[in-house]
Amino acid sequence: QRRTHDATHTHTHTGHVGIPSLLFHHHAWLSRQYRTFGEFWEEAPAAQRHSNKVNNSGYYYQAAADHEIRRKTYARDALEATGMGKLQPDTEIPKSEFLGQVLTEAEQSYRAHASANQGTSLHQHVVVQRLLTIEGKHDHSETILVLLTRAYENFKRQRCSRMILHVASLMAAEYLSAQNFAMAKKFYDRIARTYRKENWFNILSAILLQALDCAKNLNQTREAINYSLELISPNLYSCIPPESTKGLASTFHRKLTPATPPPLLDP
């Protein structure tokens, strides 16, 4: 019954997105709802007894992470569109317990600086700017990875092998986005083992391209060459986009060509 209520509640408000420049706030709200449902499922004994591969809190945490990823994308786009710069996470800012607190702070900021005769359009502009300023300091990657880790652990507990791989790929992509190349590569290597064994060449080629990017950024020459050699194998090369095949050739050239020519020997 609680699950049906949760689904109805979320579905009812999914389409209420508000103004386009605050779309990130809508997805923040949806992420919070799904996270709350996941936490309830984990803490409720009755729900735990009915947990299985189809019904478990992992799906709620994954949905929360998906909306948090969208939140990050829309926040980045809104900041760039308004000329307010880029996302710059600030770990020192206090986290609000409820989403409404952030909106209340924006409203208070407006009332503190706006006079009584200023209209609705200015009101909206001030509130949007204040919310974007706060949003730009939010550590989206940290939140995304916390949610994905919880989803991963729940799917692992229920032995949902395919969902484990899917969530692991999302974690790797987020680590890569956050430029944590070592962790991203660790996850890509773990995923690649399964798809290599099962001959899923399309998926494997996409994973190895990302792992290659990580190896390059980590200056791991041997690893970069190994990934490149595997990618040019007959089974994988046909799955690689044309623009990526050129990059493989340049990788070999840079990694195998010495930076300085060897000294000439005297006759």
Side-chain angles (χ1 to χ4, degrees):
Q1 185 178 1
R2 173 60 189 263
R3 186 179 171 206
T4 303
H5 172 74
D6 292 343
T8 303
H9 170 70
T10 306
H11 178 74
T12 301
H13 294 88
T14 297
H16 298 226
V17 298
I19 59 177
S21 53
L22 291 182
L23 197 52
F24 65 86
H25 199 264
H26 171 69
H27 287 288
W29 180 86
L30 281 172
S31 178
R32 183 67 62 90
Q33 300 304 304
Y34 281 113
R35 181 174 186 161
T36 301
F37 301 157
E39 290 169 349
F40 168 80
W41 190 286
E42 281 191 313
E43 294 172 3
Q48 283 298 314
R49 286 196 299 270
H50 292 89
S51 291
N52 52 48
K53 290 187 177 183
V54 179
N55 299 313
N56 63 74
S57 57
Y59 290 101
Y60 286 120
Y61 285 126
Q62 185 200 341
D66 287 342
H67 282 289
E68 192 68 26
I69 292 169
R70 296 184 194 182
R71 172 187 182 180
K72 178 181 178 181
T73 301
Y74 285 119
R76 182 182 61 237
D77 293 347
L79 284 167
E80 292 176 356
T82 55
M84 294 179 65
K86 299 181 179 179
L87 294 172
Q88 295 180 330
D90 184 356
T91 55
E92 299 299 322
I93 61 171
K95 291 181 171 61
S96 58
E97 185 177 357
F98 305 105
L99 288 174
Q101 287 180 252
V102 179
L103 188 57
T104 302
E105 290 170 10
E107 292 280 4
Q108 290 172 347
S109 175
Y110 165 73
R111 284 195 294 269
H113 298 92
S115 59
N117 61 351
Q118 289 174 326
T120 305
S121 61
L122 179 60
H123 177 195
Q124 177 176 301
H125 175 72
V126 172
V127 171
V128 167
Q129 281 206 322
R130 176 59 179 157
L131 283 172
L132 279 173
T133 300
I134 297 171
E135 186 70 16
K137 297 177 181 179
H138 176 69
D139 194 340
H140 298 86
S141 288
E142 179 189 20
T143 307
I144 292 167
L145 289 168
V146 166
L147 292 168
L148 289 174
T149 299
R150 289 190 180 183
Y152 184 90
E153 290 170 350
N154 277 277
F155 287 135
K156 191 173 182 179
R157 195 177 301 127
Q158 298 298 333
R159 300 182 181 179
C160 306
S161 57
R162 293 302 159 187
M163 292 307 302
I164 291 171
L165 290 171
H166 175 62
V167 172
S169 69
L170 294 175
M171 294 176 73
E174 191 55 39
Y175 277 122
L176 184 59
S177 173
Q179 298 188 342
N180 188 338
F181 302 112
M183 284 299 296
K185 180 177 174 297
K186 178 181 177 180
F187 274 93
Y188 283 129
D189 284 339
R190 189 179 299 172
I191 301 164
R193 284 198 293 269
T194 299
Y195 290 119
R196 191 180 287 118
K197 187 191 303 182
E198 297 179 354
N199 295 330
W200 288 89
F201 299 125
N202 278 308
I203 302 174
L204 179 60
S205 62
I207 291 168
L208 292 179
L209 284 171
Q210 300 292 355
L212 173 60
D213 186 33
C214 295
K216 289 178 182 177
N217 281 285
L218 293 168
N219 292 319
Q220 296 179 347
T221 302
R222 182 184 294 275
E223 294 287 318
I225 291 174
N226 287 340
Y227 290 136
S228 300
L229 286 171
E230 186 172 3
L231 283 164
I232 62 173
S233 64
N235 289 326
L236 297 185
Y237 192 75
S238 59
C239 304
I240 302 173
E243 61 273 14
S244 298
T245 57
K246 298 176 183 178
L248 291 176
S250 63
T251 297
F252 276 113
H253 179 74
R254 288 195 307 271
K255 299 298 182 182
L256 298 179
T257 303
T260 56
L264 296 175
L265 298 176
D266 294 332

